Amino acid sequence: QVQLVESGGGLVQAGGSLRLSCAASGRTFSSYVMGWFRQGPGKDREFVAAITWSGGVTRYADSVKGRFAISRDNAKNMVYLQMNSLKSEDTAVYYCAVANGWGRLTLDALEYAYWGQGTQVTVSS
């Protein structure tokens, strides 16, 4: 099993930046995919970004491409989401998740087996 704890959320003005962190505990495997999802008010949970634990290959939702960057530190069992040029529509609870994806950068939430509790990001206009 893997436990995930997100941190770094908060209130930021439009155009600003935040960096979210996700600390993983338990066993990790080279086949894992680390992902970030978000759920805004009255909206479904949506894919944001993913990265392979081994190799660091990334995938982004079109809505955040060019503004957000996902990264990981394997030695520290950490995954990060750097968010720049934030917009009001980025307001959401952000969740860290892990998939046993064998390197597949899936955007399907059903393929992610482990989830953190989420951290709130609020972007003011």
Side-chain angles (χ1 to χ4, degrees):
Q1 283 192 284
V2 178
Q3 285 188 270
L4 304 170
V5 180
E6 303 96 334
S7 62
L11 176 64
V12 64
Q13 289 187 329
S17 299
L18 281 175
R19 190 183 77 159
L20 305 183
S21 299
C22 175
S25 61
R27 295 191 67 184
T28 57
F29 299 91
S30 61
S31 61
Y32 278 4
V33 171
M34 309 293 294
W36 286 97
F37 291 75
R38 67 186 182 185
Q39 188 165 17
K43 299 174 66 177
D44 294 332
R45 190 168 297 186
E46 66 175 345
F47 172 80
V48 176
I51 186 169
T52 59
W53 194 245
S54 177
V57 181
T58 59
R59 181 179 182 179
Y60 297 94
D62 289 342
S63 59
V64 306
K65 192 173 184 179
R67 300 188 297 120
F68 291 10
I70 188 171
S71 61
R72 84 276 191 265
D73 186 332
N74 296 46
K76 296 180 178 180
N77 281 356
M78 298 285 290
V79 62
Y80 307 97
L81 184 68
Q82 179 66 46
M83 305 184 295
N84 300 320
S85 301
L86 283 162
K87 307 173 181 178
S88 60
E89 50 261 46
D90 295 319
T91 295
V93 177
Y94 283 72
Y95 298 90
C96 180
V98 178
N100 237 320
W102 303 102
R104 298 190 189 97
L105 286 165
T106 181
L107 50 74
D108 187 353
L110 294 176
E111 297 191 29
Y112 288 79
Y114 306 103
W115 294 82
Q117 297 304 302
T119 186
Q120 176 70 48
V121 172
T122 303
V123 183
S124 62
S125 58

